[in-house]
């Protein structure tokens, strides 16, 4: 907590002057667009890229250094990369993030558990969080995910993951609330908390993102329906005991739910957005984005000698920051909210009070 809060003053000043004083402390690394799901809320599997290699990632992470606090290794389905362990080790050896978060659809079962345990062992000073995606129970999940038998395979993966007994490993469940399952969320929440009993349970609202190829797609629930669903989740998880880093994220999660409700209802950002300052994303082919919703390349790492710092201080990056500050966009993106909330005094104070 001390490490992440120490980055806040520079982030505040960066937003004020429109220039990148610090590097982002929240970094998402999309390791591939390849995915073995065909979700109704995501078209990322249709995209193609020449994925960065572990050797290229090593150059990037070496350039970033110890600035990163929270990292997400995302996809596509990240575990479709047989070298995910090597990428995670490079990240750890060069950046020493406190958190390495990896989402998964669970389709690769035992391989996911084996790789997750290996990553946890090779990154002992990082909290490794694996979040299994679950958008319904039984066939409801299969229909949304577009793969017959997905639920059964996901449950087998969950069972294998739950056997990992390491102090730096956290197993979570993650649900995307869309118009396809918004009315089923109470049933799903009860199942997850009552039957699976993960270390944490989080949800996120389905949204239109350039990264996911869902611009113009009718996937987002209505503001009223989402509010009903997420209020139930907040009530049920309020007294639910979490483990490890989940205690930290839970403190900010209730703030995110209120934030997302406000964005859906008003179309405006209720707190200042720090995308492009405190948070960033690297696409599979090496584009640096300020956020994945707009997915506007600020520069390509392959074309800039794998120098993240050079791209981060470029004119294109500064233009992106100015547009965000001018509120030319709004979205309920959870990952960007966390870093923005840390930098927003009122939001951070509420979260800290929940932790204490």
């Amino acid at each position: 907590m001390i490490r992440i809060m120490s980055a806040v003053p520079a982030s505040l000043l960066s937003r004020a002057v429109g220039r990148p004083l610090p590097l982002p402390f929240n970094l998402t690394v999309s390791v591939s667009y390849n995915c073995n799901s065909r979700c109704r809320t995501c078209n990322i599997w249709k995209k193609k890229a020449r994925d960065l290699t572990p050797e290229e990632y090593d150059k990037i992470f070496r350039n970033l250094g110890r600035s990163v606090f929270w990292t997400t290794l995302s996809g596509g389905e990240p575990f479709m990369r047989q070298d995910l362990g090597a990428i995670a080790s490079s990240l750890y050896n060069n950046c020493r993030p406190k958190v390495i978060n990896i989402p998964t659809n669970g389709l690769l079962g035992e391989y996911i558990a084996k790789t997750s345990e290996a990553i946890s062992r090779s990154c002992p000073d990082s909290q490794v969080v694996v979040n299994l995606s679950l958008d319904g129970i039984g066939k409801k999940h299969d229909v949304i995910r577009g793969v017959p038998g997905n639920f059964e395979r996901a449950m087998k993966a969950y069972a294998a993951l739950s056997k990992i007994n390491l102090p730096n490993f956290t197993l979570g469940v993650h649900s995307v609330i869309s118009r396809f399952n918004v009315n089923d969320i109470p049933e799903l929440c009860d199942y997850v908390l009552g039957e699976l009993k993960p270390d944490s349970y989080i949800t996120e609202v389905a949204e239109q993102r350039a990264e996911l190829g869902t611009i113009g797609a009718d996937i987002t629930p209505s503001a009223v329906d989402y509010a009903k669903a997420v209020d139930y989740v907040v009530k049920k998880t309020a007294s639910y005991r979490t483990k490890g880093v989940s205690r930290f994220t839970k403190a900010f999660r209730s703030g995110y739910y209120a934030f997302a409700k406000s964005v859906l209802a008003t179309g405006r950002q209720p707190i200042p957005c720090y995308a492009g300052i405190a948070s960033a994303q690297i696409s599979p082919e090496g584009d640096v984005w300020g956020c994945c919703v707009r997915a506007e390349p600020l520069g390509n790492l392959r074309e800039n000698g794998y120098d993240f710092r050079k791209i981060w201080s470029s004119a294109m990056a500064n233009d992106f920051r100015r547009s965000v500050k001018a509120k030319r966009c709004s979205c309920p993106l959870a990952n960007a909210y966390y870093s923005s909330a840390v930098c927003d005094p009122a939001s951070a104070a509420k979260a800290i009070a929940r932790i204490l």
Side-chain angles (χ1 to χ4, degrees):
M1 190 67 181
I2 295 175
R3 176 177 165 184
I4 194 170
M5 294 307 295
S6 67
V8 170
S11 296
L12 293 171
L13 184 57
S14 287
R15 193 172 193 274
V17 301
R19 296 178 182 176
L21 300 178
L23 290 171
F25 56 78
N26 180 354
L27 180 68
T28 297
V29 181
S30 183
V31 297
S32 181
Y33 292 136
N34 293 331
C35 190
N36 45 3
S37 287
R38 297 294 181 264
C39 300
R40 299 179 72 183
T41 57
C42 177
N43 294 315
I44 202 167
W45 59 273
K46 296 180 179 180
K47 302 176 73 172
K48 304 297 180 184
R50 183 167 62 91
D51 294 344
L52 293 164
T53 66
E55 292 74 22
E56 289 178 302
Y57 278 120
D58 198 60
K59 295 176 183 178
I60 296 165
F61 296 149
R62 196 180 311 132
N63 180 262
L64 277 166
R66 300 294 177 91
S67 62
V68 180
F69 175 88
W70 182 291
T71 54
T72 300
L73 299 179
S74 72
E77 170 54 41
F79 286 96
M80 287 188 73
R81 286 202 62 153
Q82 297 295 307
D83 54 7
L84 183 63
I87 295 170
S89 293
S90 175
L91 170 67
Y92 178 79
N93 292 333
N94 287 291
C95 303
R96 282 294 196 280
K98 295 302 294 182
V99 179
I100 299 175
N101 178 54
I102 312 174
T104 180
N105 58 26
L107 288 174
L108 297 178
E110 288 286 348
Y111 173 76
I112 294 171
K114 180 180 178 181
T115 304
S116 297
E117 181 169 5
I119 290 173
S120 299
R121 292 189 183 280
S122 67
C123 307
D125 293 330
S126 293
Q127 190 72 29
V128 177
V129 182
V130 174
N131 277 313
L132 180 75
S133 297
L134 199 62
D135 295 338
I137 303 172
K139 291 184 178 180
K140 290 181 180 180
H141 177 72
D142 297 352
V143 170
I144 293 174
R145 289 274 155 173
V147 178
N150 192 329
F151 180 80
E152 182 179 354
R153 292 164 69 180
M155 291 302 93
K156 289 181 179 178
Y158 184 87
L161 286 163
S162 65
K163 295 177 182 177
I164 299 175
N165 186 23
L166 294 171
N168 67 324
F169 178 75
T170 298
L171 175 57
V173 173
H174 172 272
S175 299
V176 175
I177 301 179
S178 69
R179 72 176 186 86
F180 308 115
N181 68 352
V182 65
N183 295 321
D184 299 323
I185 292 303
E187 177 188 22
L188 177 58
C189 181
D190 288 348
Y191 175 80
V192 171
L193 300 182
E195 298 296 327
L196 299 182
K197 297 180 174 63
D199 297 325
S200 70
Y201 178 54
I202 60 176
T203 72
E204 187 174 348
V205 62
E207 59 188 317
Q208 297 183 29
R209 294 189 204 173
E211 178 201 22
L212 304 182
T214 54
I215 300 298
D218 183 18
I219 59 175
T220 306
S222 71
V224 173
D225 287 345
Y226 175 75
K228 291 179 181 177
V230 83
D231 284 349
Y232 187 89
V233 173
V234 170
K235 180 180 178 180
K236 295 295 288 189
T237 57
S239 59
Y240 187 75
R241 296 188 66 180
T242 56
K243 171 188 171 184
V245 73
S246 298
R247 183 164 171 261
F248 172 82
T249 56
K250 181 181 178 181
F252 282 90
R253 178 59 55 168
S254 60
Y256 162 70
Y257 292 141
F259 166 85
K261 287 196 296 183
S262 177
V263 173
L264 292 186
T266 67
R268 297 190 299 270
Q269 298 284 132
I271 67 172
C273 181
Y274 281 77
I277 296 174
S279 60
Q281 182 156 338
I282 298 173
S283 76
E285 65 269 54
D287 285 336
V288 175
W289 300 335
C291 78
C292 64
V293 173
R294 289 168 53 171
E296 298 172 1
L298 310 180
N300 184 273
L301 288 159
R302 281 175 169 147
E303 296 171 1
N304 287 273
Y306 307 99
D307 190 340
F308 186 97
R309 296 167 185 265
K310 178 181 178 181
I311 295 172
W312 200 237
S313 60
S314 68
M316 289 182 67
N318 288 333
D319 286 343
F320 174 82
R321 295 182 186 99
R322 281 191 287 268
S323 73
V324 172
K325 184 179 180 180
K327 299 182 179 180
R328 294 175 190 163
C329 54
S330 64
C331 74
L333 182 65
N335 203 14
Y337 166 79
Y338 286 139
S339 45
S340 296
V342 167
C343 295
D344 179 60
S347 300
K350 291 178 181 178
I352 292 171
R354 294 185 193 105
I355 296 173
L356 299 177

